[in-house]
Amino acid sequence: MYKILVVDDSALMRRVICDIINADSDFRVVDVSADGEDAYNKIKNNPYDLIVLDMVLPKLTGLELLEKLYNEKFTFNAVIVSSILKEDADKTVKAMEYGALDFVVKPIRSGSDTRDVFGRQLLTSLHNVSKSNAFRPVTSSGSSSNDSKSFSESRQATQDRLESVRNHLENIKSGSGSARTASDIEKMGVTNQSPQMSPSKSNQDQPVVAASTPATPSKKAPTGSGVRTKKIIALACSTGGPQALHTFVPMLPASLSVPLVLVQHMPEGFTASLAARLDQISAVHVKEAEDGEFFKPGWVYITPGGKHMEICEDGSKAAYCHLDDSPPVNSLKPCADVMYKSLKDSSFDEIICVVLTGMGADGSEGIKYLNQYKKTYVISQEASTCVVYGMPKAVEQGGLSNEVAPLKSVANSIVKRLGG
């Protein structure tokens, strides 16, 4: 049975969360805290298996608490309880960088229905996290095993590399023809500069664009004109995806010759924060996709939470985004299968499909369907580098993978496939 600390400043919410957790025989709430400072002192002196943590707390906020634990190299496994407010979404994305393993959205309104939904989501998250590759046993009060210390130090090194990339983006040259490796990033020094737009993110030297023609009546006509590319990268990820994307996206070169579209299973409001954070630390542009916009080379487009993405083309075969508000597919919205299936009638010479860490099998049916109509090259993340080896496993065991690569090699695999 996993021992859990619940941290929330609302007595009612603490009671609700405790009742939900204690109803599951795999978990038991052994302690509660109403503020971040008290939680910090309890974590220092007690070996909790999991922490369920609210973002908005007195004395120390949830984010400040995680940062403190992270910097002091404590071993912890945290699930965030967040609101859908933009500022909380921003903090939740940042919390994932400090080691939080997952998050659930706090219900806006009270009531048995919303509590039941929240309860299912919370328990699902706790089960997923406790079974994930990223879960680390907490061995004793205020300390950790050598293995856990090594893991914490590795996370700190990752954070340092992310900050290094962010602070040195202005030095990245747009002519780079290969993906950045982990060793490249480690060689960058840390400065106190604020994030700046790199020269590689200018609008200069863009490919010749094709003229736009009206889209089909059922979809919003794109504005302006689009770029026709011979290939596109379509990526899917879920549990552990935000952490994986923080490693993978900064390794993509500024000279990426095609667009990358992706589905990350996240609620509405959180994908914009994820995109903004990734854009700060990457040589490529990263944004939340908008309905009717053309996809450009060197850009990464994240499907907004609560929408499906379909890739469409205008009369000149330039690809653009259509956001679909239809019901969830297999309880998912966005759903990667929807994205992959939408590429069936596209004019791309090849579609590079990438499937990273995630629970379930989303993406495998879509890729299997797409293979009947288009030339694809499928890269799935190697098991030991996944937080949850579900989605990549479904792709690999389904015989769909052309290449299985560890997370830090995926960017280079893509560049090689593109001919870089």
Side-chain angles (χ1 to χ4, degrees), residues 328-390:
V329 176
N330 299 322
S331 302
L332 298 170
K333 189 176 180 183
C335 174
D337 284 334
V338 172
M339 174 184 69
Y340 286 126
K341 289 180 179 180
S342 74
L343 287 159
K344 165 184 174 283
D345 296 320
S346 67
S347 62
F348 295 108
D349 294 342
E350 183 177 77
I351 297 158
I352 300 174
C353 304
V354 181
V355 181
L356 302 181
T357 175
M359 181 68 66
D362 189 29
S364 59
E365 283 301 314
I367 293 172
K368 183 178 179 181
Y369 175 85
L370 184 60
N371 280 346
Q372 301 175 59
Y373 303 95
K374 300 296 298 181
K375 179 183 178 182
T376 65
Y377 186 82
V378 183
I379 303 170
S380 58
Q381 186 178 345
E382 187 269 328
S384 69
T385 64
C386 292
V387 171
V388 177
Y389 186 53

Side-chain angles (χ1 to χ4, degrees), residues 275-297:
R277 179 60 183 153
L278 289 172
D279 187 68
Q280 286 183 336
I281 63 174
S282 304
V284 291
H285 292 275
V286 185
K287 73 184 299 291
E288 189 179 55
E290 298 178 47
D291 193 31
E293 74 173 319
F294 284 105
F295 298 122
K296 296 183 288 187

Side-chain angles (χ1 to χ4, degrees), residues 7-146:
V7 187
D8 197 297
D9 62 336
S10 165
L12 175 60
M13 201 64 198
R14 288 198 302 274
R15 184 71 265 157
V16 168
I17 292 173
C18 288
D19 287 346
I20 290 169
I21 293 172
N22 289 333
D24 191 301
S25 60
D26 289 337
F27 306 107
R28 181 63 55 192
V29 176
V30 296
D31 224 335
V32 296
S33 286
D35 65 74
E37 188 175 290
D38 178 64
Y40 171 74
N41 290 326
K42 286 178 175 175
I43 292 166
K44 279 179 63 178
N45 296 296
N46 297 280
Y48 304 110
D49 297 308
L50 286 156
I51 305 164
V52 176
L53 179 65
D54 188 24
M55 279 281 90
V56 181
L57 295 168
K59 298 185 180 178
L60 277 178
T61 67
L63 183 61
E64 290 169 341
L65 171 60
L66 288 180
E67 183 178 9
K68 192 174 178 68
L69 294 171
Y70 187 99
N71 290 335
E72 294 179 14
K73 297 181 173 59
F74 275 89
T75 300
F76 61 89
N77 301 291
V79 171
I80 302 300
V81 177
S82 177
S83 78
I84 60 172
L85 296 175
K86 183 184 184 302
E87 59 185 33
D88 287 347
D90 292 343
K91 291 174 183 176
T92 298
V93 170
K94 185 68 176 176
M96 307 294 276
E97 295 181 46
Y98 285 129
L101 298 179
D102 201 2
F103 72 94
V104 293
V105 179
K106 186 182 295 187
I108 300 174
R109 294 179 291 274
S110 60
S112 59
D113 290 346
T114 54
R115 172 177 164 166
D116 288 346
V117 172
F118 172 69
R120 287 195 298 272
Q121 291 174 341
L122 177 58
L123 289 176
T124 297
S125 176
L126 292 174
H127 279 288
N128 289 349
V129 163
S130 64
K131 296 172 184 174
S132 74
N133 291 337
F135 184 83
R136 296 285 165 166
V138 181
T139 57
S140 60
S141 302
S143 64
S144 59
S145 66
N146 289 336

Side-chain angles (χ1 to χ4, degrees), residues 147-185:
D147 178 66
S148 295
K149 283 183 178 179
S150 175
F151 180 70
S152 289
E153 288 166 0
S154 174
R155 288 195 307 203
Q156 182 64 58
T158 299
Q159 179 69 14
D160 291 341
R161 288 197 299 273
L162 290 173
E163 293 302 315
S164 298
V165 174
R166 185 193 69 184
N167 292 325
H168 283 73
L169 276 176
E170 68 271 18
N171 295 325
I172 298 174
K173 296 182 180 180
S174 60
S176 173
S178 61
R180 274 178 167 52
T181 65
S183 59
D184 291 333
I185 294 172

